Amino acid sequence: MTIDNPNPALVASQARSLPAQPLSPAEERTWSLLAHLSVLLNLVTGFVGPIAALVIYLIYKDRSRKVAYHALQAMIFQLIWWYGGGLLIGAMWVTVGVLSAVLIGIILIPFAILITLVLSLLPMGAVIYGIIGAIQVNQGQDFKYWLVGDWVRSTLTGR
């Protein structure tokens, strides 16, 4: 075996045994920012935001606790606010549809329209909150989502 052409199996095993290099503070800010901004992908695709945050979490969880924290809480927050709002709207319209069979649902249609308009603000609130989180993280400040941040922190630290 020559030095110019090393054994590929040996190189692969050595690469697996190397510990993951920690991220620099600038890299941590960048990836945390991108995790929070992944909510913008939902505006275009409707569902890719939490997936992007999950991918950032899985890639950087061993290299940076800060990035893992921000990516995980961004993913969970998006799932709750983005998908949760959609599920509530869908469940409400199914209920109205079923109750329309006994005429009660017809009376509920104006209320369902009003509630749909209110619940459709949930995803927009999630987008605005995600942008605020991205700005704060990019400025070097810590950011935690309301109701989600403390739970994610305790999950990651085990306390």
Side-chain angles (χ1 to χ4, degrees), residues 82-141:
W82 197 268
Y83 294 121
L87 287 174
L88 287 174
I89 290 171
M92 178 190 56
W93 279 103
V94 166
T95 303
V96 168
V98 169
L99 290 176
S100 292
V102 290
L103 299 178
I104 295 171
I106 294 173
I107 298 169
L108 295 177
I109 288 175
F111 297 108
I113 291 171
L114 180 64
I115 293 171
T116 298
L117 293 174
V118 171
L119 288 178
S120 65
L121 295 176
L122 290 177
M124 290 302 109
V127 169
I128 292 168
Y129 206 26
I131 292 171
I132 291 169
I135 292 169
Q136 284 188 3
V137 166
N138 193 43
Q139 293 173 346
Q141 301 171 4

Side-chain angles (χ1 to χ4, degrees), residues 74-86 88 122 147-148:
M75 180 195 71
I76 292 170
F77 186 80
Q78 289 178 51
L79 288 173
I80 292 170
W81 286 80
W82 197 268
Y83 294 121
L88 287 174
L122 290 177
L147 295 177
V148 174

Side-chain angles (χ1 to χ4, degrees), residues 2-148:
T2 65
I3 294 176
D4 296 334
N5 191 9
N7 182 350
L10 179 65
V11 171
S13 70
Q14 288 174 344
R16 279 187 294 237
S17 66
L18 293 175
Q21 296 296 319
L23 297 177
S24 69
E27 290 173 324
E28 283 185 332
R29 280 195 313 273
T30 300
W31 285 108
S32 297
L33 167 99
L34 291 174
H36 290 292
L37 288 181
S38 67
V39 72
L40 295 175
L41 292 171
N42 293 329
L43 294 175
V44 178
T45 64
F47 66 94
V48 176
I51 296 168
L54 177 64
V55 168
I56 291 171
Y57 169 76
L58 292 173
I59 291 173
Y60 292 104
K61 68 179 175 151
D62 296 327
R63 295 179 62 193
S64 170
R65 292 182 82 168
K66 181 178 182 178
V67 173
Y69 169 66
H70 287 287
L72 192 58
Q73 72 169 334
M75 180 195 71
I76 292 170
F77 186 80
Q78 289 178 51
L79 288 173
I80 292 170
W81 286 80
W82 197 268
Y83 294 121
L87 287 174
L88 287 174
I89 290 171
M92 178 190 56
W93 279 103
V94 166
T95 303
V96 168
V98 169
L99 290 176
S100 292
V102 290
L103 299 178
I104 295 171
I106 294 173
I107 298 169
L108 295 177
I109 288 175
F111 297 108
I113 291 171
L114 180 64
I115 293 171
T116 298
L117 293 174
V118 171
L119 288 178
S120 65
L121 295 176
L122 290 177
M124 290 302 109
V127 169
I128 292 168
Y129 206 26
I131 292 171
I132 291 169
I135 292 169
Q136 284 188 3
V137 166
N138 193 43
Q139 293 173 346
Q141 301 171 4
D142 191 27
F143 178 79
K144 71 175 185 172
Y145 287 104
W146 176 65
L147 295 177
V148 174

